[in-house]
Amino acid sequence: MKHGFIGFGNLAKAVYQGLKEEEGMEFAYFARNRKEVDIPFFERIDQLVSFADVIWLVVKPQDLAGILDQLKEKELTGKTIVSPVAGKSIAYMERYLGEEQLIVRIMPNLAMAYRKSVTAFTTNRPGNRQAMQIFDILGKLGKAVELEESGFDLFTSVFGSGPAFILSFIQIFKDKMQEFSLPGPLLDELLLELTQGTTLYFAQNQKDYSIEELIRNITSKGGTTQAGLEYFRTHKIGKHFEGVLDAARKRSEEMSRNGN
Ligand SMILES: NC(=O)c1ccc[n+]([C@@H]2O[C@H](COP(=O)([O-])OP(=O)(O)OC[C@H]3O[C@@H](n4cnc5c(N)ncnc54)[C@H](OP(=O)(O)O)[C@@H]3O)[C@@H](O)[C@H]2O)c1
């Protein structure tokens, strides 16, 4: 299967890194400028279209219309269009490419590079063989879930932007640790161990225990964790954090409304 990327920035690189060891796959890209990567670069979009069975639209939302304008002139029969572009619906893309065109809309995150993305999937041809091949590929790049398109805005805030929010939380721990004057790289290593340890604790126990129970297991009555969690509760930190997710979701909804 030949994968052609239109745009070769952060996300396209993550898809390529996650898939490059797979057998039976070839890759090429078209972008404004050539990148330092060992796959063919096409200077013209029509060369990329002729090459690819699967065309990944990996450009920023504001650049999508320009790309679709160019694609609508091309012969796309039999090809699969895959779009991870935030806030751009299948109906929006069909307006350029026609309803007959097979389109898959996804919402992944950068952990695709390590085959650990959580990726939402929807298509205008449910059950179509080629569409399901993309679903299977997404399964190689982490966990893939079929989702109604109406759920994409919330999914984008939690799983698309989620890594940045979790890292922002870790940054707060790092800022606090500055009191120790440890070198930054060592601090990062310690925080990485903390997050990996926590993830493992969650992973090993999630089948048998709820998250509440896992928190309770590390909270002694009258102890330090309890004091911190009490602050968490009385200051409604959880509610504030929900505000972060709501803001991202609202932005995704706005982007969808602005000419979706
Ligand atoms: N990054 C994420 O974590 C993430 C997660 C989920 C979804 N997404 C979605 O994925 C899409 C891509 O995000 P990204 O982070 O990969 O963006 P990015 O790093 O900015 O990459 C965008 C790419 O688009 C290319 N491009 C722009 N205009 C073009 C044109 N007219 N013709 C050809 N190529 C063009 C750029 O080429 P040049 O470099 O040559 O200028 C660049 O390689 C976005 O729509 C975003 O919503 C991203």
Side-chain angles (χ1 to χ4, degrees), residues 1-4 6 42 45-57 71 73-83 97-104 123-125 128-131 133-134:
M1 188 186 283
K2 293 181 175 167
H3 295 269
I6 297 185
F42 291 122
I45 198 167
D46 53 318
Q47 295 171 309
L48 189 283
V49 170
S50 308
F51 161 85
D53 305 312
V54 179
I55 299 174
W56 295 75
L57 307 179
L71 280 181
E73 314 288 335
K74 311 283 178 269
E75 179 54 61
L76 298 172
T77 311
K79 298 182 190 283
T80 310
I81 303 292
V82 180
S83 167
L97 306 179
E99 290 177 14
E100 294 307 310
Q101 179 60 52
L102 173 60
I103 299 175
V104 170
T123 175
N124 58 355
R125 296 277 171 282
N128 172 283
R129 188 181 57 81
Q130 284 165 264
Q133 279 178 334
I134 301 301

Side-chain angles (χ1 to χ4, degrees), residues 6-12 30-33 35 58-61 63 67 70 84-86 107-110 160:
I6 297 185
F8 202 73
N10 298 306
L11 192 69
F30 160 74
R32 286 178 295 209
N33 307 296
K35 317 287 169 209
V58 251
V59 295
K60 292 285 190 206
D63 295 321
I67 295 297
Q70 295 179 65
V85 178
M107 180 43 63
N109 64 43
L110 280 183

Side-chain angles (χ1 to χ4, degrees), residues 51-178:
F51 161 85
D53 305 312
V54 179
I55 299 174
W56 295 75
L57 307 179
V58 251
V59 295
K60 292 285 190 206
Q62 62 272 24
D63 295 321
L64 185 65
I67 295 297
L68 291 171
D69 250 335
Q70 295 179 65
L71 280 181
K72 71 179 185 208
E73 314 288 335
K74 311 283 178 269
E75 179 54 61
L76 298 172
T77 311
K79 298 182 190 283
T80 310
I81 303 292
V82 180
S83 167
V85 178
K88 295 295 177 195
S89 67
I90 287 185
Y92 174 87
M93 291 179 270
E94 283 179 343
R95 251 174 262 146
Y96 292 83
L97 306 179
E99 290 177 14
E100 294 307 310
Q101 179 60 52
L102 173 60
I103 299 175
V104 170
R105 182 179 175 195
I106 64 172
M107 180 43 63
N109 64 43
L110 280 183
M112 275 190 151
Y114 324 108
R115 298 165 82 102
K116 283 285 180 197
S117 174
V118 180
T119 308
F121 164 101
T122 192
T123 175
N124 58 355
R125 296 277 171 282
N128 172 283
R129 188 181 57 81
Q130 284 165 264
M132 292 323 287
Q133 279 178 334
I134 301 301
F135 187 75
D136 291 344
I137 288 171
L138 299 175
K140 293 178 195 294
L141 295 170
K143 297 238 181 288
V145 284
E146 277 199 74
L147 189 73
E148 293 279 321
E149 214 174 359
S150 58
F152 266 58
D153 295 317
L154 175 58
F155 196 95
T156 301
S157 77
V158 175
F159 291 106
S161 308
F165 301 151
I166 292 173
L167 282 168
S168 298
F169 214 69
I170 295 172
Q171 181 71 49
I172 299 170
F173 283 49
K174 182 169 178 177
D175 291 345
K176 200 69 198 157
M177 288 289 289
Q178 297 302 337

Side-chain angles (χ1 to χ4, degrees), residues 165 236-250:
F165 301 151
K236 301 190 167 49
I237 305 289
K239 214 60 225 133
H240 285 300
F241 195 74
E242 239 181 83
V244 173
L245 298 176
D246 289 343
R249 177 190 197 167
K250 193 164 152 258

